[in-house]
Amino acid sequence: MNLIYSIQNNVLNFFRRRNVFTKSAKYYDLMKSSKNYQEEANQIIDILNHYGIFSGHILDLACGTGEHDKYLKSQFQTDGLDLNKDFVEIAKTKNPEGTYYTGNMIDFETNKAYDTVICLYGSIGYTKSLENLSKMISTCKMNLKKDGLLIIEPWYNPNNWEADIIHTTNVESESISITRMATGNRDGEIIFHYLIGEKGKGIEYFTETYEFGLFTHEELMDVFHKNKFDAVFISHTVQKRGLYVAKSL
């Protein structure tokens, strides 16, 4: 009985940990309605202009629903990649001029050479391990032009990650009311609890589990160096956790 119970638990945990954004994708933009994507996109454009890049092609990794791309396309041809096919379909509607891929940012191939690859909103945490992070950076390099830029917004590091704290978010539209509560453990895993009331559909409850890697600044800089990038960290940015700007050597 113990063996059967263990197998059942392992199977349940496998599927539980793969359900990132499976149910919440259609509510994502409403949940992030307070986030200033336009200001963040303008900041990216300013950084690129500072490095002498005034036009060209951007690849947005873990692009989500394409909110940054909606503004980046004002100056750059912008493509995107995300593991979640529902996000990809939403992003296409916001930036129909772009090419969107459903795939894993750790190991992807676009058959293009981009002027810039960006990975925002702490999405590098989804790589989970330093090995996977290094693979991702290496893959980015293969899809960049010579002297191309890689811009990454970091996730939390082990020193500023706060475990076992409850975070609550409430958002509403004319037809939808959402309450989301979340708590994380010391390994970087977060469980989100959603309570969603939708007009004409009643109330739904579900959970989604996210697993993140927690990387130090020193570890990130070492990964950039090993993959032949000259990286700098910009602390004073729109994003609270700053940005890494890395030039391919």
Side-chain angles (χ1 to χ4, degrees):
M1 289 296 292
N2 288 338
L3 178 59
I4 294 174
Y5 178 77
S6 176
I7 292 173
Q8 288 175 334
N9 264 354
N10 287 336
V11 171
L12 287 172
N13 285 334
F14 173 78
F15 285 104
R16 177 175 64 85
R17 294 182 179 186
R18 291 177 64 87
N19 69 351
V20 176
F21 298 119
T22 52
K23 289 191 174 183
S24 67
K26 60 183 178 180
Y27 306 111
Y28 188 85
D29 283 344
L30 177 58
M31 290 294 303
K32 304 300 179 184
S33 56
S34 64
K35 184 175 175 64
N36 197 329
Y37 286 94
Q38 184 171 13
E39 187 178 7
E40 293 183 8
N42 288 340
Q43 177 180 248
I44 296 298
I45 292 173
D46 288 342
I47 291 172
L48 295 181
N49 293 170
H50 174 78
Y51 278 84
I53 302 174
F54 297 96
S55 62
H57 290 74
I58 293 176
L59 177 63
D60 184 4
L61 293 184
C63 64
T65 63
E67 275 294 298
H68 287 112
D69 306 345
K70 188 168 67 174
Y71 302 106
L72 290 170
K73 71 177 184 178
S74 66
Q75 189 168 333
F76 296 91
Q77 174 67 40
T78 306
D79 297 341
L81 179 145
D82 201 281
L83 190 60
N84 188 306
K85 59 182 178 59
D86 294 326
F87 280 173
V88 168
E89 292 304 314
I90 296 171
K92 287 179 181 178
T93 67
K94 299 175 182 178
N95 180 29
E97 303 87 355
T99 300
Y100 283 85
Y101 309 90
T102 301
N104 194 324
M105 64 180 177
I106 295 172
D107 185 13
F108 64 90
E109 186 175 350
T110 63
N111 295 317
K112 290 185 181 181
Y114 286 91
D115 299 278
T116 306
V117 175
I118 63 174
C119 185
L120 305 177
Y121 215 178
S123 296
I124 61 163
Y126 288 118
T127 60
K128 300 180 186 178
S129 69
L130 281 172
E131 180 182 1
N132 285 339
L133 175 62
S134 185
K135 287 179 181 178
M136 174 205 160
I137 300 300
S138 175
T139 300
C140 288
K141 190 176 183 69
M142 289 188 291
N143 286 272
L144 273 171
K145 293 180 181 178
K146 184 180 178 181
D147 298 328
L149 286 186
L150 173 59
I151 300 177
I152 289 179
E153 179 184 351
W155 182 236
Y156 292 95
N157 65 58
N159 299 318
N160 62 20
W161 172 250
E162 296 180 337
D164 304 320
I165 293 177
I166 304 297
H167 297 274
T168 303
T169 303
N170 296 292
V171 294
E172 289 187 5
S173 68
E174 290 185 2
S175 59
I176 300 174
S177 179
I178 301 175
T179 294
R180 188 183 73 177
M181 301 184 74
T183 184
N185 65 24
R186 297 185 183 281
D187 295 325
E189 179 183 86
I190 304 175
I191 299 177
F192 288 96
H193 298 259
Y194 288 85
L195 190 63
I196 299 178
E198 193 165 358
K199 188 176 181 179
K201 295 183 180 180
I203 299 173
E204 180 183 14
Y205 167 77
F206 60 86
T207 65
E208 291 180 338
T209 301
Y210 305 69
E211 292 179 296
F212 296 96
L214 304 174
F215 310 120
T216 67
H217 170 73
E218 291 74 20
E219 288 171 333
L220 285 164
M221 292 298 287
D222 185 56
V223 168
F224 285 126
H225 177 74
K226 287 180 177 178
N227 285 283
K228 300 189 185 309
F229 279 94
D230 182 17
V232 296
F233 178 68
I234 305 173
S235 57
H236 299 292
T237 64
V238 177
Q239 299 87 350
K240 293 180 180 179
R241 294 186 295 273
L243 289 171
Y244 288 90
V245 181
K247 187 174 183 179
S248 177
L249 299 175

